Amino acid sequence: LQFHQEMRAQFPDAPKHRQLLAGRYFALGRLLGNANRHKDAEEHYRQALQTQEKLVAEFPDQHDYRKDLTKTLNHLGSFLLGLGRDPEAEKMFRKALPIHEALAAEAPKNLEYQSDLGGVLHNLALPLRDRGELEEAQRLFKQAINCQRIAYKSNPQHPQYRRYLKKHLVTLANLLIRKKDHGEAANVAWEWAELFADDGRELFEAGYILGLCVPLAKTDSRLPPDQRPSVADGYTEQAEKLFQRVVQVGAEDAGALSELAWFRANSKAPFGNVAEAVTLAKKAVELAPKQAKGWQTLGAAQVRAGDGPAAVVALEKWTQLSSGGDAWGWFFLAMAHAQAGQKEQARKWYDQAVMWMEKNRPNDAALRRFRAEAAALLNLPEAPKKGDVPKNGDKTAQSQ
């Protein structure tokens, strides 16, 4: 930054030095933001923005200057969104959108421009969704997917295009579940499964979305009562097909097997299957014995199977590999010790989990469930009920 400030002073009329200086302000803004130095980060982002806006005004036909400007607008918007400053973030995304649209229109074969346009559409939809403008957010998410689909299908091996397309599909699916639109959510899940048919983890996520459609169909007043069970059964059958493909495609993927095992262990009918959860978790730890998640999942599955002593061993291994762990595993450690007749140890882990939960995730539905189960095993009074916090879904913006 210092070097480019000197060059800018030495050659004040050279636009290239102004562009490079703005780029260093931008880069330092990202670093400061990652270091949680929010005030300094914003100051540097806005320094970059000021210079880039002037360059674009002076040289409107220069693609590089316009692209740099949209990059800063998108990152600054994402930064502000992460701080909860949604109106300011939305302003940045709205400024970036017409520039992205123009760049993509001028160079339709430029896949990077298509992907970037999808990113800003996705990002603009986030604050709209969070303030309840669901229809407009859905429209923008669909546009984002269309742009990202073009980039991905033209170059499916590009990791960024693949990652962003998945992000857009996930966000749209979650929005549709929130709207109780199980039909559209199921369509998204199937596209997801077809796009990532070679990836066990992605197949699991698609099946999980189909699983969420089951209770929605059972209570959908838009369907005739006699049709609801068959629609729900259809989603169950489709989800199960994907879960079986996870086992086949992800046979050597410890992460995919662990995800499915956790789901099997902690789901009720029609998807719960404790015996399969134990089998899958054991396979996961065989494949990746140094991955903490597999041991946590194995311990949880063994608790569900009533094998407390084995669960204690697995979960203690998890604590070693995860630098101590967190409440998601500690509640299971409490249950495992309780099943093994070690009441004092069980209470210790239970109290530790409760303290962590109340400090970090007091309204997490899964943790509330595990806490209640552990309290029941320890014959403790039920925890006081707390009001649910509205779920805004993933607020992670796409950065170019």
Side-chain angles (χ1 to χ4, degrees), residues 77 130 210 367:
D130 292 345
L210 286 168
L367 286 180

Coordinates of all heavy atoms in Angstrom, one line a residue, residues 77 130 210 367:
G77 N -20.5 -5.0 0.6 CA -21.8 -5.4 0.9 C -21.8 -6.7 1.8 O -22.6 -6.7 2.8
D130 N -34.5 -11.8 4.6 CA -34.5 -11.7 6.0 C -35.4 -10.7 6.5 O -35.8 -10.7 7.7 CB -33.0 -11.4 6.5 CG -32.1 -12.5 6.3 OD1 -32.6 -13.7 6.0 OD2 -30.9 -12.3 6.3
L210 N -35.3 -33.5 0.6 CA -36.5 -34.3 0.3 C -37.1 -34.7 1.6 O -38.4 -34.8 1.8 CB -36.1 -35.4 -0.5 CG -35.9 -35.1 -2.0 CD1 -35.2 -36.3 -2.7 CD2 -37.1 -34.7 -2.7
L367 N -29.9 -29.0 20.0 CA -29.3 -29.0 21.4 C -30.3 -29.0 22.4 O -30.1 -29.7 23.5 CB -28.4 -27.7 21.6 CG -27.0 -27.7 20.8 CD1 -26.3 -26.5 21.1 CD2 -26.2 -29.0 21.2

